[in-house]
Amino acid sequence: SYELTQPPSVSVSPGQAASITCSGGKLEDKYVCWYQQKPGQSPVVVIYQDRKRPSGIPERFSGSNSGNTATLTISGTQALDEADYYCQTWDGTTYVFGTGTKVTVL
Amino acid sequence: QLQLQESGPGLVKASETLSLTCTVSGGAITTGTYYWGWIRQPPGEGLEWIGSIYYGGITYYSPSLKSRVAMSVDTSKNQFSLKLRSVTAADTAVYYCARDVNYDEFFFDHWGQGTLVTVSS
């Protein structure tokens, strides 16, 4: 079965950029989206189709996908960006979620 | 504004069937090319897709749960439902329903608030 691997945690200082990776075989051949989940809340999509932002999502969220790795970048990270982030893709028959990354804003 | 709301028992006994319903408001479940999905999250763990259904009845399920899962749609009530048979403690999780943007984009754009289901022994 297809798997997506993320680092368990990423730490970032306020105002700096945070990058979260998502690795999977030939991932560039698939669309990747990213969800933000704050404690006790439902996930919210922040990037879809590799790099598109839904309306209402700040411009500081951006995405890319190349080779075996997709990346979510948060530019100018703010305290309110502290959350768990999950990547997700469709492998043709199944939705697959990444292992999740906890972003801490120190 | 599209809203989804999960409902169902919060406690299910081991070996029995978990049954949940998702009520959709602010839009018809029959609109467009959307599917409707279920995702779960065990306490302190990550997200796991369970399956998705089209209002016409087409379903696709996670291979790991396929033998125990059944999903259905009631268009007259604007609802879709999940049944998971023979549950164990490993099925304890927050269960979310969500709109599945399956056509060409493949993501979940609207989510319910989630409902915790605990399996007791």
Side-chain angles (χ1 to χ4, degrees), chain B residues 49-80:
Chain B
W49 173 70
I50 299 170
S52 296
I53 186 168
Y54 187 63
Y55 78 88
I58 300 170
T59 56
Y60 53 103
Y61 301 137
S62 166
S64 64
L65 296 169
K66 185 175 184 178
S67 64
R68 298 193 292 130
V69 170
M71 296 177 62
S72 59
V73 171
D74 186 337
T75 57
S76 67
K77 296 182 179 179
N78 223 35
Q79 295 176 334
F80 61 103

Side-chain angles (χ1 to χ4, degrees), chain B residues 37-117:
Chain B
W38 290 96
I39 301 100
R40 70 180 183 179
Q41 184 172 36
E45 298 186 23
L47 300 166
E48 178 185 22
W49 173 70
I50 299 170
S52 296
I53 186 168
Y54 187 63
Y55 78 88
I58 300 170
T59 56
Y60 53 103
Y61 301 137
S62 166
S64 64
L65 296 169
K66 185 175 184 178
S67 64
R68 298 193 292 130
V69 170
M71 296 177 62
S72 59
V73 171
D74 186 337
T75 57
S76 67
K77 296 182 179 179
N78 223 35
Q79 295 176 334
F80 61 103
S81 298
L82 168 71
K83 290 188 184 298
L84 181 65
R85 298 182 294 273
S86 304
V87 297
T88 69
D91 296 309
T92 293
V94 174
Y95 285 76
Y96 296 99
C97 60
R99 189 172 76 171
D100 176 354
V101 187
N102 181 266
Y103 183 75
D104 197 40
E105 294 177 327
F106 306 111
F107 70 102
F108 299 94
D109 66 345
H110 288 81
W111 294 62
Q113 66 183 29
T115 186
L116 174 62
V117 179

Side-chain angles (χ1 to χ4, degrees), chain A residues 4-104:
Chain A
L4 294 174
T5 302
Q6 300 178 232
S9 62
V10 167
S11 297
V12 59
S13 299
Q16 300 302 302
S19 291
I20 307 163
T21 58
C22 173
S23 299
K26 297 184 178 180
L27 190 55
E28 67 178 354
D29 294 339
K30 311 178 195 306
Y31 280 140
V32 174
C33 68
W34 292 88
Y35 299 94
Q36 176 193 70
Q37 186 181 33
K38 296 182 178 180
Q41 298 184 19
S42 305
V44 173
V45 59
V46 295
I47 292 290
Y48 68 98
Q49 271 190 344
D50 296 340
R51 58 181 67 247
K52 295 182 178 178
R53 272 181 298 105
S55 60
I57 299 301
E59 291 184 7
R60 64 179 181 274
F61 289 90
S62 63
S64 64
N65 186 9
S66 179
N68 296 325
T69 303
T71 303
L72 173 69
T73 301
I74 311 172
S75 304
T77 307
Q78 300 181 12
L80 57 84
D81 299 327
E82 188 164 284
D84 293 328
Y85 291 84
Y86 295 91
C87 60
Q88 175 240 292
T89 193
W90 168 255
D91 75 351
T93 59
T94 305
Y95 279 112
V96 180
F97 285 95
T99 50
T101 299
K102 182 176 183 59
V103 171
T104 301

